[in-house]
Amino acid sequence: MNNSGILYVVATPIGNLSDLGERARVIMSEADLVLCEDTRQTTRLLQASGITAKTRSFHEHNENKLLGWVLQRLSDGQNIVLVSDAGTPLISDPGFPLVREARNRGLRVSPVPGPNAAIAALSVSGIPCHRFCFEGFLPSQAKRRQNALRALRKESRTLVFYESSHRVEECLKDMVDVLGPDRSVMVGREITKIHETFFLGSLDQALHFTRSDENQRKGEFVLVVGGNPNVDLEWQRACELFDRLCPLLPSSEVSRIVSETFSVNRKRLYRRMIEQKKG
Ligand code: SAM
């Protein structure tokens, strides 16, 4: 462990190459090896940034095969960088088996944080971002996508999705159908690139905007969807009823009545009651 090298997980730009941080540049220049999702893509970045480094392809189709080889090099003391084509590795990108196995073996793993499309979009969305769920890509098959959205219908936190140009319109259509036309959404397209566009409005308006202009279906997308505003309201009402009934009935009875009246979780009500008693 002491003489082992470090696996650096390095974030790279999601569009604008100037977003490569100075620490990322130095670590990549000094590393023994840079593992890339696509060596051509990363070589372009390295050349543009004046970095010479030894690269090797490491992607979802060969990562399990190369795992032992990479771990041995780390154990031998080499410093190895993991990058993906763009953004932060592992976030809808390869690398998870390597990081998990390096951790299991007690090897050092260190991040070089930087660009990430989801966080970039959230940070400019104007939609609450103090609590959010990152959902990555929805299933490509329509039925499975609609089911995945159905499972998220009651989520009160902001939802963040990745989407490609092939499916952005279909995906917005399914969101309108399953989550309702009025939910707020920010469609972030080509973030940090020449054609960067942000559209903020309701799901219905976003679908119309995307449909009516072919250019708005080109490039890469992040969809930031507001959480279900009614869920918090329902919880609030449930708590009010709970507090009114508590002095009158046993708490198990109150939990049952309230959870049947509103669709709120009985255990959650019970936890709240315990916390109130403690507090
Ligand atoms: N690991 C990356 C990250 O940290 O953001 C994400 C990789 S994932 C394979 C690629 C998806 O991220 C794209 O299909 C798109 O949904 C989103 N994305 C990446 N770059 C983007 C950009 N510049 N603008 C909008 N979305 C982007």
Side-chain angles (χ1 to χ4, degrees), residues 48 109 149 190 219 248 278:
V109 185
L149 285 169
E190 294 288 88
L248 311 172
K278 274 194 216 152

Side-chain angles (χ1 to χ4, degrees), residues 5 46 66 109 138 157 169 180-181 184 199 211-212 227 231 272 277:
L46 296 176
L66 287 182
V109 185
L138 282 163
R157 290 171 291 181
E169 186 185 338
S184 53
F199 177 89
R211 266 188 180 156
S212 56
V231 171
R272 177 177 173 271
K277 277 189 182 157

Side-chain angles (χ1 to χ4, degrees), residues 14-15 37 84 86-93 115-118 137 161-164 188-193 219-222:
I14 55 168
E37 195 180 353
S84 58
T88 302
L90 277 81
I91 308 301
S92 296
D93 265 341
N116 167 253
F137 290 98
F161 302 93
Y162 282 163
E163 202 42 90
S164 71
R189 182 175 81 93
E190 294 288 88
I191 301 169
T192 76
K193 301 186 202 176
E220 299 189 283
F221 297 83
V222 181

